[in-house]
Amino acid sequence: MDDKIFKLISNISTLVTFDISFIKVNHTFIGDDSNFTYFQQNLSHNSEQLNKLLIFPFTINDHLKGHFIVKAKNLFAKEQVDLIKSFLRASSSAVTSEGQHVSVLYPLADQELRDFLFILRNTKFSKGEGSTPPQKFIQLPTKSIINIENALSYINQNLSKSLSLDNVSKAVYISPAYLSRLFKNVLNINFIDYVNISKMNVAQEKLIMTQIPIIDLSNDLGFTQASYFTKTFKKWTGLTPSSYRIKNKNIKQVYTIPRTASWMNNESIFTISKEYFHQQHLPIKTRKIESEDYISSINGLEENLNQENGWIYTVDCFRPSVSSNQLSVKNKSVIQWLYVSNN
């Protein structure tokens, strides 16, 4: 992996005007000697030059692998940041295997960036081994990203269980109070609301796509009482499970997209959905109506306006009144795409 990343860094450096390095989660710095010296000199003096850094977290299959470090002579405009992020993500396919999901997140900012630089300043540097750098560098500081990623992964894989703040925090080795703060401060979502929304979206999909009895569905989602499941379902959807099943009998396909740590607040439902379908190798088609992009086909199921067939989307159990490229994923937990067919 080190050699692949070094090759990637080398290749990118020949195409762009900024300097780039990489810091892995196993404390390894990958880059040239001039960049290594730059960090040593400027970090030790808390230099203003550090304000010109862009530090992009890099994930594979939603697991943090390290950070791209980009520096330039001048501060970056937002449009430049977006282009660099897209460029790094596209280029990173060179270090991954087929089928792996690669994501480059927006640069660290505010407290995360301050934490990162603090740890850099308080870490001794030493050379690593290898024919090309790497060099020994730092301990990964963005623990909140790792912890929230682990919590989301655990929740999404264990929706059949009763999930409390205590048992989830124990599973990911952090305190309940800290986990609660992560959901509120990083995702802007209440922990129990995220759990219940996730469970209700699974319930919606099962009610539409199967004939499972409601009492069995309640048990499958970790509810000890069907009455409490029904109460929770109605709170989030406005309908009882049986009413929801009847109302949505014309839905023929459902795709559920759970939240991951790679969702950025300023990204749209449309963008996140396109990335998800690409990751799942599900071909899609998009169209434009009055300058608004929308998804017209997923995995071969296409809209047919004459027959009133087509795709709609919901967010956190409800259908928004705006198009998917007008709504951001900020504070959102789960997206669903549903194919309506009146045939």
Side-chain angles (χ1 to χ4, degrees):
M1 185 69 169
D2 286 4
D3 288 340
K4 288 184 177 180
I5 293 179
F6 181 77
K7 183 178 180 180
L8 171 65
I9 297 299
S10 299
N11 290 342
I12 291 177
S13 297
T14 64
L15 300 173
V16 296
T17 58
F18 49 79
D19 291 325
I20 184 169
S21 308
F22 190 84
I23 300 171
K24 291 180 60 181
V25 287
N26 68 351
H27 319 174
T28 301
F29 173 86
I30 300 176
D32 61 30
D33 288 335
S34 63
N35 283 337
F36 186 75
T37 301
Y38 175 90
F39 283 117
Q40 287 181 305
Q41 293 176 345
N42 288 288
L43 284 170
S44 61
H45 296 94
N46 196 13
S47 169
E48 288 298 318
Q49 294 297 316
L50 298 175
N51 293 328
K52 298 178 182 179
L53 293 179
L54 293 176
I55 303 174
F56 296 86
F58 173 65
T59 69
I60 298 178
N61 292 337
D62 298 326
H63 291 282
L64 194 62
K65 298 298 181 182
H67 294 77
F68 287 107
I69 310 295
V70 174
K71 69 181 179 75
K73 295 180 179 178
N74 300 304
L75 296 176
F76 294 91
K78 181 181 183 303
E79 292 76 13
Q80 292 174 302
V81 174
D82 290 337
L83 285 172
I84 293 170
K85 175 179 176 289
S86 299
F87 180 74
L88 291 175
R89 185 179 183 280
S91 301
S92 298
S93 60
V95 302
T96 58
S97 302
E98 184 177 355
Q100 289 185 316
H101 166 221
V102 175
S103 183
V104 177
L105 310 186
Y106 277 93
L108 300 179
D110 302 327
Q111 189 60 50
E112 290 284 6
L113 180 58
R114 289 192 289 272
D115 290 346
F116 188 94
L117 295 177
F118 175 81
I119 294 178
L120 287 180
R121 292 187 195 103
N122 289 277
T123 303
K124 293 181 179 180
F125 303 101
S126 60
K127 295 281 187 177
E129 297 180 355
S131 56
T132 57
Q135 298 162 326
K136 211 65 177 170
F137 201 53
I138 62 155
Q139 174 67 42
L140 179 72
T142 53
K143 292 182 179 179
S144 62
I145 293 179
I146 299 172
N147 288 328
I148 200 67
E149 173 191 310
N150 290 340
L152 290 174
S153 178
Y154 181 83
I155 291 168
N156 294 334
Q157 293 174 22
N158 291 277
L159 291 173
S160 61
K161 300 178 181 179
S162 177
L163 296 169
S164 69
L165 200 58
D166 285 340
N167 60 33
V168 174
S169 61
K170 185 179 295 185
V172 297
Y173 305 104
I174 58 179
S175 73
Y178 178 56
L179 179 60
S180 179
R181 289 198 302 272
L182 282 179
F183 270 83
K184 291 178 181 178
N185 297 337
V186 178
L187 302 181
N188 299 308
I189 298 168
N190 179 279
F191 169 83
I192 193 62
D193 285 348
Y194 177 82
V195 170
N196 282 331
I197 289 170
S198 299
K199 286 177 179 281
M200 294 310 101
N201 273 265
V202 173
Q204 287 177 302
E205 184 170 348
K206 295 292 185 181
L207 288 167
I208 291 171
M209 301 304 296
T210 74
Q211 292 302 313
I212 182 174
I214 291 170
I215 190 170
D216 293 341
L217 178 56
S218 171
N219 292 333
D220 288 348
L221 288 172
F223 288 86
T224 56
Q225 294 182 330
S227 60
Y228 182 62
F229 164 70
T230 297
K231 180 180 179 180
T232 305
F233 188 89
K234 188 172 182 179
K235 172 187 175 181
W236 290 105
T237 68
L239 297 169
T240 64
S242 56
S243 297
Y244 182 88
R245 174 173 269 163
I246 293 170
K247 182 179 180 179
N248 291 280
K249 62 183 179 181
N250 290 335
I251 303 294
K252 306 303 181 184
Q253 182 60 273
V254 180
Y255 291 107
T256 300
I257 308 175
R259 174 123 193 178
T260 71
S262 64
W263 288 19
M264 303 305 295
N265 284 338
N266 60 349
E267 292 184 294
S268 69
I269 301 294
F270 180 76
T271 299
I272 292 294
S273 298
K274 284 205 308 179
E275 289 182 359
Y276 173 83
F277 292 126
H278 176 72
Q279 295 157 17
Q280 300 299 316
H281 305 289
L282 296 170
I284 68 170
K285 295 179 183 177
T286 63
R287 289 193 181 182
K288 213 179 262 290
I289 292 184
E290 297 179 352
S291 77
E292 298 292 344
D293 292 308
Y294 73 100
I295 293 175
S296 60
S297 173
I298 303 173
N299 201 30
L301 282 178
E302 301 199 26
E303 67 176 5
N304 186 324
L305 299 181
N306 292 332
Q307 297 179 4
E308 298 183 344
N309 296 348
W311 289 95
I312 62 174
Y313 80 98
T314 67
V315 180
D316 295 351
C317 303
F318 282 100
R319 183 180 178 186
S321 59
V322 298
S323 63
S324 61
N325 68 343
Q326 289 184 317
L327 185 64
S328 78
V329 296
K330 183 178 181 180
N331 307 341
K332 305 301 188 295
S333 301
V334 185
I335 304 166
Q336 277 190 331
W337 286 88
L338 308 98
Y339 185 73
V340 182
S341 175
N342 293 303
N343 294 344

